[in-house]
Coordinates of all heavy atoms in Angstrom, one line a residue:
A1 N 102.8 -243.5 70.7 CA 103.0 -242.8 72.0 C 102.1 -243.5 73.1 O 102.4 -243.3 74.3 CB 102.7 -241.3 71.9
L2 N 101.1 -244.1 72.6 CA 100.2 -244.8 73.6 C 100.9 -245.9 74.4 O 100.7 -246.0 75.6 CB 99.0 -245.4 72.8 CG 97.7 -245.7 73.6 CD1 97.2 -244.5 74.3 CD2 96.7 -246.4 72.7
M3 N 101.7 -246.7 73.7 CA 102.5 -247.7 74.4 C 103.4 -247.1 75.4 O 103.6 -247.6 76.5 CB 103.2 -248.6 73.4 CG 102.3 -249.4 72.5 SD 103.1 -250.6 71.5 CE 103.4 -249.7 70.0
K4 N 104.1 -246.1 75.0 CA 105.1 -245.4 75.8 C 104.4 -244.9 77.1 O 104.8 -245.0 78.2 CB 105.7 -244.2 75.1 CG 106.7 -243.4 75.9 CD 107.2 -242.3 75.0 CE 108.3 -241.5 75.8 NZ 107.9 -240.2 76.2
D5 N 103.2 -244.2 76.9 CA 102.5 -243.7 78.0 C 102.0 -244.8 79.0 O 102.0 -244.6 80.2 CB 101.2 -242.9 77.5 CG 101.6 -241.6 76.7 OD1 102.8 -241.2 76.9 OD2 100.8 -241.1 76.0
L6 N 101.6 -245.9 78.4 CA 101.1 -247.0 79.3 C 102.2 -247.5 80.1 O 102.1 -247.7 81.4 CB 100.6 -248.1 78.4 CG 100.2 -249.4 79.2 CD1 98.9 -249.1 80.0 CD2 99.9 -250.6 78.2
I7 N 103.4 -247.8 79.6 CA 104.5 -248.3 80.3 C 105.0 -247.3 81.4 O 105.3 -247.6 82.5 CB 105.7 -248.6 79.4 CG1 105.3 -249.8 78.5 CG2 107.0 -248.9 80.1 CD1 104.9 -251.1 79.3
E8 N 105.0 -246.0 81.0 CA 105.3 -244.9 82.0 C 104.4 -244.9 83.1 O 104.8 -244.9 84.3 CB 105.3 -243.6 81.2 CG 106.1 -242.5 81.9 CD 106.3 -241.3 81.1 OE1 106.8 -241.4 79.9 OE2 105.9 -240.2 81.5
Y9 N 103.1 -245.0 82.9 CA 102.1 -245.0 83.9 C 102.2 -246.2 84.8 O 102.2 -246.1 86.1 CB 100.7 -245.0 83.3 CG 99.5 -245.2 84.3 CD1 99.1 -244.0 85.0 CD2 98.9 -246.4 84.5 CE1 98.1 -244.2 85.9 CE2 97.9 -246.5 85.4 CZ 97.5 -245.4 86.2 OH 96.5 -245.5 87.1
I10 N 102.4 -247.4 84.3 CA 102.6 -248.6 85.1 C 103.8 -248.5 85.9 O 103.8 -248.8 87.1 CB 102.6 -249.9 84.2 CG1 101.3 -250.1 83.5 CG2 103.0 -251.1 85.0 CD1 101.3 -251.2 82.4
A11 N 104.9 -248.1 85.3 CA 106.2 -248.1 86.0 C 106.1 -247.1 87.2 O 106.5 -247.3 88.3 CB 107.3 -247.7 85.1
K12 N 105.5 -245.9 86.9 CA 105.4 -244.9 88.0 C 104.6 -245.3 89.1 O 104.8 -244.9 90.3 CB 104.9 -243.5 87.4 CG 105.9 -242.8 86.6 CD 105.5 -241.4 86.1 CE 106.6 -240.7 85.5 NZ 106.2 -239.4 84.9
S13 N 103.6 -246.1 88.9 CA 102.7 -246.6 90.0 C 103.4 -247.7 90.8 O 102.9 -248.1 91.9 CB 101.3 -247.0 89.5 OG 101.4 -248.0 88.5
L14 N 104.5 -248.3 90.2 CA 105.2 -249.4 90.9 C 106.3 -249.0 91.8 O 106.6 -249.6 92.8 CB 105.7 -250.4 89.9 CG 104.7 -251.3 89.1 CD1 105.4 -252.1 88.0 CD2 104.0 -252.3 90.1
V15 N 107.0 -247.9 91.3 CA 108.3 -247.6 92.0 C 108.2 -246.6 93.2 O 107.1 -246.0 93.4 CB 109.2 -246.9 90.9 CG1 109.6 -247.9 89.8 CG2 108.7 -245.6 90.4
D16 N 109.2 -246.5 93.9 CA 109.3 -245.6 95.1 C 109.6 -244.2 94.6 O 109.2 -243.2 95.2 CB 110.4 -246.0 96.1 CG 109.9 -247.1 97.0 OD1 108.6 -247.2 97.2 OD2 110.7 -247.8 97.6
D17 N 110.4 -244.1 93.5 CA 110.8 -242.8 93.0 C 110.3 -242.5 91.6 O 111.1 -242.7 90.6 CB 112.3 -242.7 93.1 CG 112.9 -241.3 92.8 OD1 112.1 -240.4 92.4 OD2 114.1 -241.1 92.9
P18 N 109.0 -242.1 91.4 CA 108.5 -241.9 90.1 C 109.2 -240.9 89.3 O 109.1 -240.9 88.0 CB 107.0 -241.5 90.4 CG 106.8 -241.8 91.8 CD 108.1 -241.8 92.5
S19 N 109.9 -239.9 89.9 CA 110.5 -238.9 89.2 C 111.7 -239.4 88.3 O 112.2 -238.7 87.4 CB 111.1 -237.8 90.1 OG 112.1 -238.3 90.9
R20 N 112.2 -240.6 88.7 CA 113.3 -241.2 87.9 C 112.9 -242.2 86.9 O 113.7 -242.9 86.3 CB 114.3 -241.8 88.9 CG 115.0 -240.6 89.7 CD 116.1 -241.0 90.5 NE 117.2 -241.8 89.9 CZ 118.1 -242.5 90.6 NH1 118.0 -242.5 91.9 NH2 119.0 -243.1 90.0
V21 N 111.6 -242.3 86.6 CA 111.1 -243.1 85.6 C 111.2 -242.4 84.2 O 110.7 -241.3 84.1 CB 109.6 -243.6 85.8 CG1 109.0 -244.3 84.6 CG2 109.5 -244.4 87.0
D22 N 111.9 -243.1 83.3 CA 112.0 -242.4 81.9 C 111.8 -243.5 80.9 O 112.4 -244.6 80.9 CB 113.4 -241.8 81.8 CG 113.6 -241.1 80.5 OD1 112.6 -240.3 80.2 OD2 114.6 -241.2 79.9
V23 N 110.9 -243.2 79.9 CA 110.7 -244.2 78.9 C 111.0 -243.5 77.5 O 110.6 -242.4 77.2 CB 109.2 -244.6 78.8 CG1 109.0 -245.7 77.7 CG2 108.7 -245.2 80.2
T24 N 111.9 -244.2 76.8 CA 112.3 -243.7 75.5 C 111.7 -244.7 74.4 O 111.8 -245.9 74.6 CB 113.8 -243.7 75.3 OG1 114.4 -243.1 76.5 CG2 114.3 -242.9 74.1
E25 N 111.1 -244.1 73.4 CA 110.5 -244.9 72.3 C 111.4 -244.7 71.0 O 111.6 -243.6 70.6 CB 109.1 -244.4 72.0 CG 108.3 -245.3 71.1 CD 106.8 -244.9 71.0 OE1 106.6 -243.7 71.1 OE2 106.0 -245.8 70.9
I26 N 111.8 -245.8 70.5 CA 112.6 -245.8 69.2 C 111.8 -246.6 68.2 O 111.5 -247.8 68.4 CB 114.0 -246.5 69.4 CG1 114.8 -245.7 70.6 CG2 114.8 -246.4 68.1 CD1 115.9 -246.5 71.2
E27 N 111.5 -246.0 67.1 CA 110.7 -246.6 66.0 C 111.6 -246.9 64.8 O 112.3 -246.0 64.3 CB 109.5 -245.8 65.6 CG 108.2 -246.5 65.8 CD 107.0 -245.7 65.5 OE1 106.8 -244.7 66.2 OE2 106.4 -246.0 64.5
R28 N 111.6 -248.2 64.4 CA 112.4 -248.6 63.2 C 111.5 -249.4 62.3 O 111.3 -250.6 62.5 CB 113.6 -249.4 63.6 CG 114.6 -248.6 64.3 CD 116.0 -249.4 64.4 NE 116.9 -248.7 65.2 CZ 117.4 -249.2 66.3 NH1 117.0 -250.4 66.8 NH2 118.3 -248.5 67.0
G29 N 110.9 -248.7 61.4 CA 110.0 -249.4 60.4 C 108.8 -249.9 61.2 O 108.0 -249.2 61.8
H30 N 108.6 -251.3 61.2 CA 107.5 -251.9 61.8 C 107.8 -252.3 63.3 O 107.0 -253.0 63.9 CB 107.0 -253.1 61.0 CG 106.3 -252.8 59.8 ND1 105.1 -252.1 59.8 CD2 106.7 -252.9 58.5 CE1 104.7 -251.9 58.5 NE2 105.7 -252.4 57.7
S31 N 109.0 -252.0 63.7 CA 109.4 -252.3 65.1 C 109.5 -251.1 66.0 O 109.9 -250.1 65.6 CB 110.8 -253.0 65.1 OG 110.8 -254.2 64.4
V32 N 109.1 -251.3 67.2 CA 109.2 -250.3 68.2 C 110.0 -250.8 69.4 O 109.7 -252.0 69.9 CB 107.8 -249.9 68.7 CG1 107.9 -248.8 69.8 CG2 106.9 -249.4 67.6
I33 N 111.0 -250.1 69.9 CA 111.7 -250.5 71.0 C 111.4 -249.5 72.1 O 111.6 -248.3 71.9 CB 113.3 -250.5 70.7 CG1 113.6 -251.5 69.6 CG2 114.0 -250.8 72.0 CD1 114.9 -251.3 69.0
L34 N 111.0 -249.9 73.3 CA 110.8 -249.1 74.4 C 111.9 -249.3 75.4 O 112.1 -250.5 75.8 CB 109.4 -249.4 75.0 CG 108.2 -249.0 74.2 CD1 106.9 -249.4 74.8 CD2 108.1 -247.4 74.0
K35 N 112.6 -248.3 75.8 CA 113.6 -248.4 76.9 C 113.0 -247.8 78.2 O 112.7 -246.6 78.2 CB 114.9 -247.7 76.5 CG 115.6 -248.5 75.3 CD 117.0 -247.9 75.1 CE 117.6 -248.5 73.9 NZ 118.0 -249.8 74.0
L36 N 112.9 -248.6 79.2 CA 112.4 -248.1 80.5 C 113.6 -248.0 81.4 O 114.3 -248.9 81.7 CB 111.4 -249.1 81.0 CG 110.9 -249.0 82.5 CD1 110.3 -247.6 82.7 CD2 110.0 -250.1 82.9
E37 N 113.7 -246.8 82.0 CA 114.8 -246.5 82.9 C 114.2 -246.1 84.2 O 113.3 -245.3 84.3 CB 115.6 -245.3 82.4 CG 117.1 -245.5 82.6 CD 117.9 -244.4 81.8 OE1 117.6 -244.1 80.6 OE2 118.8 -243.8 82.4
V38 N 114.7 -246.8 85.3 CA 114.2 -246.5 86.7 C 115.4 -246.4 87.6 O 116.5 -246.8 87.2 CB 113.2 -247.6 87.2 CG1 111.9 -247.6 86.4 CG2 113.9 -248.9 87.3
A39 N 115.2 -245.9 88.8 CA 116.3 -245.8 89.8 C 116.7 -247.3 90.1 O 115.9 -248.2 90.0 CB 115.8 -245.2 91.1
Q40 N 118.0 -247.4 90.3 CA 118.6 -248.8 90.6 C 117.8 -249.6 91.6 O 117.5 -250.7 91.5 CB 120.1 -248.6 91.0 CG 120.8 -249.9 91.1 CD 120.9 -250.7 89.8 OE1 121.2 -250.1 88.7 NE2 120.7 -252.0 89.8
E41 N 117.4 -248.9 92.7 CA 116.7 -249.6 93.8 C 115.3 -249.9 93.4 O 114.6 -250.7 94.2 CB 116.8 -248.8 95.1 CG 116.3 -247.3 95.0 CD 117.4 -246.3 94.6 OE1 118.4 -246.7 94.1 OE2 117.1 -245.1 94.7
D42 N 114.8 -249.4 92.3 CA 113.4 -249.7 91.9 C 113.4 -250.8 90.8 O 112.3 -251.2 90.4 CB 112.7 -248.4 91.4 CG 112.2 -247.5 92.5 OD1 111.8 -248.1 93.6 OD2 112.2 -246.3 92.4
K43 N 114.5 -251.2 90.3 CA 114.6 -252.1 89.2 C 113.9 -253.4 89.5 O 113.1 -253.9 88.7 CB 116.1 -252.4 88.9 CG 116.3 -252.5 87.5 CD 117.8 -252.6 87.2 CE 118.0 -252.7 85.7 NZ 119.4 -252.8 85.3
G44 N 114.0 -253.9 90.7 CA 113.4 -255.2 91.1 C 111.9 -255.1 91.1 O 111.2 -256.0 90.8
R45 N 111.3 -253.9 91.4 CA 109.9 -253.7 91.4 C 109.3 -253.8 90.0 O 108.2 -254.3 89.8 CB 109.5 -252.3 92.0 CG 109.7 -252.3 93.5 CD 109.1 -251.1 94.1 NE 109.2 -251.1 95.5 CZ 110.3 -250.8 96.2 NH1 111.3 -250.4 95.6 NH2 110.3 -250.9 97.5
V46 N 110.0 -253.2 89.0 CA 109.4 -253.2 87.6 C 109.7 -254.6 86.9 O 109.0 -254.9 86.0 CB 109.9 -252.0 86.8 CG1 109.3 -250.7 87.3 CG2 111.4 -252.0 86.6
I47 N 110.7 -255.3 87.4 CA 111.0 -256.6 86.8 C 110.1 -257.7 87.5 O 109.5 -258.5 86.8 CB 112.5 -257.0 87.0 CG1 113.3 -256.0 86.1 CG2 112.7 -258.4 86.5 CD1 114.8 -256.1 86.3
G48 N 109.9 -257.6 88.8 CA 109.1 -258.5 89.6 C 109.8 -259.8 89.8 O 110.8 -260.1 89.2
R49 N 109.1 -260.6 90.7 CA 109.7 -261.9 91.0 C 109.7 -262.8 89.7 O 108.6 -262.9 89.1 CB 108.8 -262.6 92.1 CG 109.4 -263.6 92.9 CD 108.5 -264.1 93.9 NE 108.2 -263.1 95.0 CZ 108.7 -263.2 96.2 NH1 109.4 -264.2 96.6 NH2 108.4 -262.2 97.1
H50 N 110.8 -263.3 89.4 CA 111.0 -264.2 88.2 C 110.6 -263.5 86.9 O 110.1 -264.1 86.0 CB 110.3 -265.5 88.3 CG 110.6 -266.3 89.5 ND1 111.9 -266.8 89.8 CD2 109.9 -266.7 90.6 CE1 111.9 -267.4 90.9 NE2 110.7 -267.3 91.5
G51 N 110.7 -262.1 86.9 CA 110.3 -261.3 85.7 C 108.8 -261.3 85.4 O 108.5 -260.9 84.3
R52 N 108.0 -261.6 86.4 CA 106.6 -261.6 86.1 C 106.0 -260.2 85.7 O 105.2 -260.2 84.8 CB 105.8 -262.1 87.4 CG 105.9 -263.6 87.5 CD 104.9 -264.2 88.5 NE 105.1 -265.6 88.7 CZ 105.4 -266.1 89.8 NH1 105.5 -265.4 90.9 NH2 105.6 -267.4 89.9
V53 N 106.4 -259.2 86.4 CA 105.8 -257.9 86.1 C 106.3 -257.4 84.7 O 105.5 -256.9 83.9 CB 106.3 -256.8 87.2 CG1 105.8 -255.4 86.8 CG2 105.7 -257.2 88.6
A54 N 107.6 -257.6 84.5 CA 108.1 -257.2 83.1 C 107.4 -258.0 82.0 O 107.1 -257.4 81.0 CB 109.7 -257.4 83.1
N55 N 107.2 -259.3 82.3 CA 106.6 -260.1 81.2 C 105.1 -259.7 81.0 O 104.6 -259.8 79.9 CB 106.7 -261.6 81.6 CG 108.1 -262.1 81.3 OD1 108.9 -261.5 80.5 ND2 108.5 -263.1 82.1
A56 N 104.5 -259.3 82.1 CA 103.1 -258.8 82.0 C 103.0 -257.6 81.1 O 102.2 -257.4 80.3 CB 102.5 -258.6 83.4
M57 N 104.0 -256.6 81.4 CA 104.0 -255.4 80.6 C 104.3 -255.7 79.1 O 103.7 -255.2 78.2 CB 105.1 -254.4 81.1 CG 104.7 -253.8 82.5 SD 105.7 -252.4 82.9 CE 107.2 -253.2 83.5
R58 N 105.2 -256.7 78.9 CA 105.5 -257.1 77.5 C 104.3 -257.7 76.8 O 104.1 -257.5 75.7 CB 106.7 -258.1 77.5 CG 108.0 -257.4 77.8 CD 109.2 -258.3 77.7 NE 110.4 -257.6 78.0 CZ 111.2 -257.8 79.1 NH1 110.8 -258.7 80.0 NH2 112.3 -257.1 79.3
G59 N 103.5 -258.5 77.6 CA 102.3 -259.1 77.0 C 101.3 -258.0 76.6 O 100.7 -258.1 75.5
L60 N 101.1 -257.0 77.4 CA 100.2 -255.9 77.1 C 100.7 -255.2 75.8 O 99.9 -254.9 74.9 CB 100.2 -254.9 78.2 CG 99.3 -255.2 79.4 CD1 99.6 -254.2 80.5 CD2 97.8 -255.2 79.1
L61 N 102.0 -254.9 75.8 CA 102.6 -254.2 74.6 C 102.4 -255.0 73.3 O 102.1 -254.5 72.3 CB 104.1 -254.0 74.8 CG 104.4 -252.9 75.8 CD1 105.9 -252.9 76.1 CD2 103.9 -251.5 75.4
R62 N 102.6 -256.4 73.5 CA 102.4 -257.2 72.3 C 101.0 -257.1 71.7 O 100.9 -257.1 70.5 CB 102.8 -258.7 72.7 CG 103.7 -259.4 71.7 CD 104.1 -260.7 72.2 NE 105.2 -260.6 73.2 CZ 105.2 -261.2 74.4 NH1 104.2 -262.0 74.7 NH2 106.1 -261.0 75.3
V63 N 100.0 -257.1 72.6 CA 98.7 -257.0 72.1 C 98.4 -255.7 71.4 O 97.9 -255.6 70.3 CB 97.7 -257.2 73.3 CG1 96.3 -256.8 72.8 CG2 97.7 -258.6 73.8
M64 N 98.9 -254.6 72.0 CA 98.8 -253.3 71.4 C 99.5 -253.2 70.1 O 98.9 -252.6 69.1 CB 99.3 -252.2 72.4 CG 98.5 -252.0 73.6 SD 99.2 -250.9 74.8 CE 98.8 -249.3 74.0
A65 N 100.7 -253.7 70.0 CA 101.5 -253.6 68.8 C 100.9 -254.5 67.7 O 100.8 -254.0 66.5 CB 102.9 -254.1 69.1
S66 N 100.3 -255.6 68.0 CA 99.8 -256.5 67.0 C 98.6 -255.9 66.3 O 98.3 -256.1 65.1 CB 99.5 -257.9 67.5 OG 98.4 -257.8 68.4
R67 N 97.8 -255.1 67.1 CA 96.7 -254.4 66.5 C 97.1 -253.3 65.5 O 96.4 -253.0 64.6 CB 95.9 -253.7 67.6 CG 95.1 -254.6 68.5 CD 94.3 -253.8 69.4 NE 93.4 -254.7 70.2 CZ 92.7 -254.4 71.2 NH1 92.7 -253.1 71.7 NH2 91.9 -255.3 71.8
E68 N 98.3 -252.8 65.7 CA 98.9 -251.8 64.7 C 99.8 -252.5 63.7 O 100.4 -251.8 62.9 CB 99.7 -250.8 65.5 CG 98.8 -249.9 66.4 CD 99.7 -249.0 67.2 OE1 100.8 -248.6 66.8 OE2 99.3 -248.6 68.4
G69 N 99.9 -253.8 63.7 CA 100.7 -254.5 62.8 C 102.2 -254.3 63.0 O 103.0 -254.2 62.1
K70 N 102.6 -254.1 64.3 CA 104.0 -253.8 64.6 C 104.5 -254.8 65.6 O 103.8 -255.6 66.1 CB 104.1 -252.4 65.3 CG 103.8 -251.3 64.3 CD 104.0 -249.9 65.0 CE 103.7 -248.8 64.0 NZ 103.9 -247.5 64.6
R71 N 105.8 -254.8 65.7 CA 106.5 -255.6 66.7 C 107.1 -254.7 67.8 O 107.5 -253.6 67.5 CB 107.6 -256.4 66.1 CG 107.2 -257.4 65.1 CD 108.4 -258.2 64.6 NE 109.1 -258.8 65.7 CZ 109.6 -260.0 65.7 NH1 109.6 -260.7 64.6 NH2 110.2 -260.4 66.8
V72 N 107.0 -255.1 69.0 CA 107.5 -254.2 70.1 C 108.4 -255.0 71.0 O 108.2 -256.2 71.2 CB 106.3 -253.6 70.8 CG1 105.6 -254.6 71.6 CG2 106.8 -252.4 71.8
S73 N 109.4 -254.3 71.6 CA 110.2 -254.9 72.6 C 110.4 -253.9 73.7 O 110.5 -252.7 73.5 CB 111.6 -255.4 72.1 OG 112.4 -254.3 71.7
L74 N 110.5 -254.5 75.0 CA 110.7 -253.6 76.1 C 112.0 -253.9 76.8 O 112.2 -255.1 77.1 CB 109.5 -253.8 77.1 CG 109.7 -253.1 78.5 CD1 109.6 -251.6 78.3 CD2 108.6 -253.6 79.4
D75 N 112.9 -253.0 76.9 CA 114.2 -253.1 77.5 C 114.2 -252.3 78.8 O 113.8 -251.2 78.8 CB 115.3 -252.6 76.7 CG 115.5 -253.4 75.4 OD1 115.0 -254.5 75.3 OD2 116.0 -252.8 74.4
I76 N 114.5 -253.0 79.9 CA 114.6 -252.3 81.2 C 116.1 -252.1 81.4 O 116.9 -253.0 81.5 CB 114.0 -253.1 82.3 CG1 112.5 -253.3 82.0 CG2 114.2 -252.4 83.7 CD1 111.8 -254.4 82.8
V77 N 116.5 -250.8 81.4 CA 117.9 -250.4 81.5 C 118.2 -249.7 82.8 O 117.4 -249.2 83.5 CB 118.4 -249.5 80.3 CG1 118.4 -250.3 79.1 CG2 117.5 -248.3 80.2

């Protein structure tokens, strides 16, 4: 839940409409899938220019997951 909370916090601080930020966590064995949902007009903000923001979030998640011996992926839907 720590990874989910982190992504939720980052996304809410980036978007214009924090009420429409929704993060779903799906755990399958050693893999965690996080689905980040934001308002259509906020999608560009959480992805960033050339995907820089999304990749930075993925990097943070990778570090957190490797400490727990897990794999994680972030999908922005």
Side-chain angles (χ1 to χ4, degrees):
L2 197 61
M3 291 189 268
K4 177 182 185 252
D5 294 343
L6 176 71
I7 293 304
E8 200 169 304
Y9 175 78
I10 293 171
K12 282 184 176 179
S13 56
L14 289 171
V15 299
D16 278 340
D17 189 353
S19 69
R20 291 187 53 199
V21 170
D22 186 43
V23 182
T24 313
E25 189 173 37
I26 302 157
E27 238 177 294
R28 289 196 187 113
H30 288 295
S31 295
V32 179
I33 300 163
L34 291 172
K35 289 189 187 292
L36 170 59
E37 220 170 315
V38 296
Q40 188 62 44
E41 54 273 15
D42 282 326
K43 220 172 181 177
R45 285 190 178 82
V46 293
I47 293 171
R49 206 178 286 251
H50 305 297
R52 282 194 187 120
V53 177
N55 286 333
M57 289 194 284
R58 288 186 178 108
L60 282 170
L61 287 172
R62 226 172 284 131
V63 171
M64 292 174 78
S66 70
R67 285 184 176 171
E68 296 176 25
K70 292 184 177 178
R71 296 183 54 141
V72 67
S73 68
L74 173 66
D75 298 337
I76 298 164
V77 290

